[in-house]
Amino acid sequence: ESPVENLLARSVTYREMGTIHEMWGDVDEALNCYHKSLECVAEWRETVRNSNLCSPNSNSNVCGACDGSEVLPEPAVDDGGPPMNRNGDNSKYSIRNVRPMSFVRDSADGSCSGFEHGGMELVFGPNSENGAGSGGSMNPYERFFPSTSDDDASEDRKMPEENSHADMDLALTLHQIAQMYKAQGSYGKALDAYEVALRGMRTALGKHHPNVAAVLGNIGNLQKEMGDFDAAYQTYQEVLGIESYRLGLSHPDVAITLHNIAVISAAKGNYEHSLQLYRKVIGLQKKLFGEDNLSVAVTAACMGDVYEKIGELGNSMDSFDEAVRIKSAVLGRHSLDVGRLLHKLGKLSFLRKQYINAESYTDRAILIYRLNKLSEDHEWFVDAARDTADIDAAIAMRNPGSSEI
């Protein structure tokens, strides 16, 4: 191998080392390896650029990051993980370990907006609390894919294959760095890396590739966690446009994006619009995955949360009941997820003055908490004990002639 080829090989090695350190939980060393991988590719690109400029037949526009063209990726370079592609082909260049359906918890008790599951993501990293960002300073990754390269991206022009591979190396590594910063709660740094990774994906694959939509979706998820709901809503709309065009309206990824838009609509107080979207999502999920898929339970619980906010407690309980049925069958009757849902049903029953039902639901939730060995000073246990006291007091104060339905 020539020294130039060795640079690309070293880049892949550093990225794989970073992945290993990340799996070990050594965040600092993982980030160090990922940044070394970036530098190797940057050095390779500069070496190729200088070599071609000195050639008698040189083309002044030799860098993949500058010509902004699309290329259909070849499965030639190992990206350090299993190749999973959103559009179902065998391309090596997909976001590594993208989970087709995972769920984000947006509040301390794990809720859409106060209780159950939140938005769906195409990610492979955990969430964290907010942290310091870049503070509006210059993006440190800008030099890898300057903003002009994104503006010039084209769907019908192609770059040399070696440049495409290098650009994908950079984009994948930048995406991984963004995921790690997001997990640390360094949202500003994560956004810097995501934005440049997005330009890299567009440069190598074109503006409408499903992997571009995957990175955009992660940017939307980050914006949502930062509380910038307007920006997240616009980003998800852009994702939906790409997915609808490239994947079709009945694709699972479209359901994920519609779900995320519904979460944003609910967070902004647009409850009717949110419910309309959730109904579309749950219909699509049942068609794609069956009536008893966990994704259906997640959406049903989110619908229950929105119904509660608009005062339709009966519909809210029906939605949570559906979620309990599915999660009990899939996860087991004593899973913590089932316990949380039963606890919610207890609260709703209390609001409807159905105190005997409220007592039954809450007692079942407490039993599940105990079976899962939660300590009695855990916030869920404390909340359930408080609810039990309120229910007992309501039953004691009830008129002797009253009855429950």
Side-chain angles (χ1 to χ4, degrees):
E1 284 184 293
S2 68
V4 172
E5 292 171 334
N6 282 336
L7 286 170
L8 287 182
R10 285 167 54 194
S11 169
V12 173
T13 300
Y14 276 128
R15 189 171 65 247
E16 291 175 347
M17 290 171 61
T19 302
I20 293 171
H21 282 292
E22 186 177 354
M23 292 173 61
W24 289 346
D26 191 347
V27 175
D28 291 338
E29 190 57 36
L31 284 170
N32 182 46
C33 288
Y34 289 142
H35 283 97
K36 285 181 179 180
S37 175
L38 291 180
E39 292 301 328
C40 286
V41 180
E43 184 179 350
W44 176 87
R45 291 166 74 183
E46 188 63 24
T47 301
V48 170
R49 184 195 302 274
N50 292 338
S51 175
N52 286 337
L53 287 175
C54 294
S55 171
N57 298 319
S58 67
N59 184 335
S60 60
N61 188 18
V62 298
C63 180
C66 299
D67 66 11
S69 56
E70 180 192 8
V71 65
L72 296 178
E74 297 291 337
V77 179
D78 187 0
D79 64 6
M84 298 178 65
N85 200 319
R86 289 165 58 103
N87 64 351
D89 62 28
N90 294 320
S91 169
K92 175 67 70 174
Y93 290 128
S94 57
I95 303 299
R96 292 187 303 103
N97 294 334
V98 168
R99 292 197 296 262
M101 217 164 264
S102 61
F103 310 108
V104 185
R105 297 184 184 268
D106 285 323
S107 61
D109 61 0
S111 66
C112 280
S113 51
F115 180 65
E116 240 296 302
H117 291 284
M120 299 184 180
E121 285 195 312
L122 284 160
V123 300
F124 43 87
N127 299 317
S128 182
E129 297 178 354
N130 200 354
S134 60
S137 59
M138 182 177 178
N139 190 329
Y141 305 109
E142 181 79 17
R143 64 192 178 95
F144 297 112
F145 294 103
S147 57
T148 53
S149 66
D150 181 49
D151 297 334
D152 295 338
S154 167
E155 287 295 314
D156 55 5
R157 288 163 48 206
K158 294 189 177 182
M159 70 185 72
E161 182 179 336
E162 59 183 358
N163 288 331
S164 172
H165 290 168
D167 287 343
M168 283 305 307
D169 279 348
L170 283 172
L172 288 168
T173 304
L174 284 164
H175 185 271
Q176 195 75 351
I177 289 170
Q179 295 286 76
M180 292 201 69
Y181 278 136
K182 180 186 172 188
Q184 289 183 309
S186 299
Y187 290 164
K189 293 178 180 178
L191 190 58
D192 284 344
Y194 273 139
E195 287 175 347
V196 181
L198 177 63
R199 290 186 205 138
M201 288 289 181
R202 285 172 168 165
T203 297
L205 301 175
K207 289 184 177 181
H208 301 122
H209 194 279
N211 285 356
V212 172
V215 179
L216 270 171
N218 287 339
I219 292 174
N221 295 331
L222 180 62
Q223 291 166 332
K224 175 168 65 69
E225 291 186 42
M226 295 171 72
D228 193 348
F229 296 133
D230 289 335
Y233 187 88
Q234 292 301 319
T235 301
Y236 286 140
Q237 290 287 352
E238 188 175 354
V239 174
L240 185 62
I242 296 173
E243 290 173 341
S244 300
Y245 172 68
R246 291 298 295 264
L247 304 176
L249 292 174
S250 297
H251 194 278
D253 292 352
V254 172
I256 293 174
T257 302
L258 285 172
H259 186 284
N260 286 335
I261 294 173
V263 171
I264 295 297
S265 292
K268 295 174 69 175
N270 300 325
Y271 298 127
E272 291 298 334
H273 181 243
S274 177
L275 283 172
Q276 289 175 6
L277 290 174
Y278 279 138
R279 291 186 190 107
K280 290 181 180 179
V281 171
I282 206 166
L284 186 55
Q285 289 169 334
K286 288 179 178 179
K287 178 181 177 181
L288 290 169
F289 311 121
E291 299 277 336
D292 298 329
N293 188 269
L294 274 178
S295 64
V296 176
V298 172
T299 303
C302 286
M303 290 179 70
D305 188 70
V306 177
Y307 276 128
E308 181 188 2
K309 289 185 179 299
I310 62 176
E312 296 187 18
L313 300 186
N315 286 332
S316 179
M317 291 194 69
D318 288 343
S319 294
F320 282 116
D321 272 329
E322 182 176 15
V324 168
R325 178 185 64 79
I326 296 171
K327 290 201 171 187
S328 296
V330 177
L331 302 177
R333 292 181 301 146
H334 297 146
S335 73
L336 274 176
D337 277 4
V338 172
R340 295 295 291 145
L341 290 166
L342 290 170
H343 194 171
K344 182 63 176 181
L345 284 165
K347 290 177 179 291
L348 291 170
S349 296
F350 183 84
L351 291 174
R352 299 182 75 192
K353 302 187 186 308
Q354 298 175 346
Y355 301 126
I356 300 301
N357 287 342
E359 184 179 46
S360 175
Y361 283 128
T362 306
D363 286 347
R364 289 165 64 190
I366 290 173
L367 174 61
I368 291 173
Y369 295 162
R370 287 199 174 107
L371 290 173
N372 283 274
K373 303 187 185 305
L374 291 186
S375 63
E376 297 208 4
D377 60 355
H378 190 282
E379 59 178 327
W380 296 352
F381 242 126
V382 173
D383 188 31
R386 188 185 305 115
D387 289 343
T388 298
D390 291 341
I391 294 167
D392 290 343
I395 292 175
M397 295 173 64
R398 190 176 53 187
N399 293 327
S402 67
S403 61
E404 286 191 20
I405 296 178

